[in-house]
Amino acid sequence: MTGDTRDEDRAGADKAALRARIRAARQAFVAALDPAGRALALRVPPSPLQPQLARASVVAGYLAIGSEASPAGLLDWAATQGARIALPFVSRPAVPMRFLAWQAGESLHPGPLGLMQPDPATAEELAPDLILAPLIAFDRGLRRLGQGAGFYDRAFARYPDARRIGVAWSVQEVALVPDDPWDVPLHAVVTEKEWIA
């Protein structure tokens, strides 16, 4: 076994341990929130994010799963400013994620990984100007730790000019996210407490 392989194995183990620790912390944090506080969190974009959402023609977001921080309020706000909204569409791990047009109230269909997604037979594929991305952990260097499948890193590479904004709970911040050469940093992170850019 080469040193490079051992380093990759160690980095993978570090990321797996960090994912498990932060998922547990996130779940406990959300469970302790009162329902009204959770409903109000991230409903209005912080002032530095507002002009970015207002300028975007297409804002890609996601529907939160489990204890993920929800960008629903941010997407609603962007839509009121005239942006088209897109949600991720995943077919299988080897195929890059696409962003398909969606409006609030339109039907969604179950997809892999617990996603609810637009129908690819009827929804137009859009190229986002701004991507609101879920994450497991982040740091002040704007490194993002995702689920581990690489869908968002590949989407960030596919749309290099799109603004990349992580959406998270403050409890998901760590001192340092271990990163790999293919990991693409964010431009900013928004939490229920602050805007980090």
Side-chain angles (χ1 to χ4, degrees):
M1 183 180 279
T2 68
D4 290 345
T5 303
R6 281 196 299 270
D7 289 346
E8 289 174 14
D9 290 345
R10 187 170 30 258
D14 290 347
K15 284 185 173 183
L18 182 58
R19 281 187 185 98
R21 181 171 63 83
I22 298 302
R23 278 188 186 113
R26 182 181 71 186
Q27 194 164 7
F29 176 81
V30 170
L33 285 176
D34 67 86
R38 184 173 181 183
L40 291 174
L42 299 165
R43 294 306 301 170
V44 176
S47 56
L49 180 55
Q50 289 182 10
Q52 295 180 53
L53 290 173
R55 281 192 305 266
S57 298
V58 176
V59 175
Y62 62 95
L63 300 179
I65 299 172
S67 60
E68 287 179 336
S70 175
L74 307 177
L75 293 173
D76 290 346
W77 195 92
T80 68
Q81 303 303 303
R84 296 185 72 191
I85 304 303
L87 295 179
F89 175 83
V90 173
S91 58
R92 56 187 189 276
V95 177
M97 177 171 70
R98 298 185 296 150
F99 293 107
L100 302 183
W102 179 78
Q103 292 181 13
E106 288 183 344
S107 64
L108 294 166
H109 304 276
L113 311 171
L115 293 175
M116 294 300 292
Q117 47 193 24
D119 183 350
T122 58
E124 177 185 0
E125 183 171 356
L126 300 176
D129 302 303
L130 189 147
I131 301 171
L132 297 171
L135 52 85
I136 299 294
F138 70 92
D139 64 25
R140 293 277 161 161
L142 301 175
R143 286 173 287 269
R144 171 190 175 273
L145 181 66
Q147 299 285 358
F151 284 113
Y152 275 91
D153 285 315
R154 291 194 304 265
F156 294 162
R158 184 176 177 200
Y159 302 106
D161 295 330
R163 297 288 295 168
R164 301 177 300 273
I165 312 295
V167 181
W169 299 110
S170 55
V171 72
Q172 294 173 255
E173 182 179 350
V174 298
L176 181 66
V177 169
D179 63 345
D180 292 302
W182 56 83
D183 291 331
V184 180
L186 299 166
H187 292 107
V189 174
V190 61
T191 75
E192 83 285 3
K193 289 185 177 178
E194 66 180 318
W195 170 257
I196 302 161

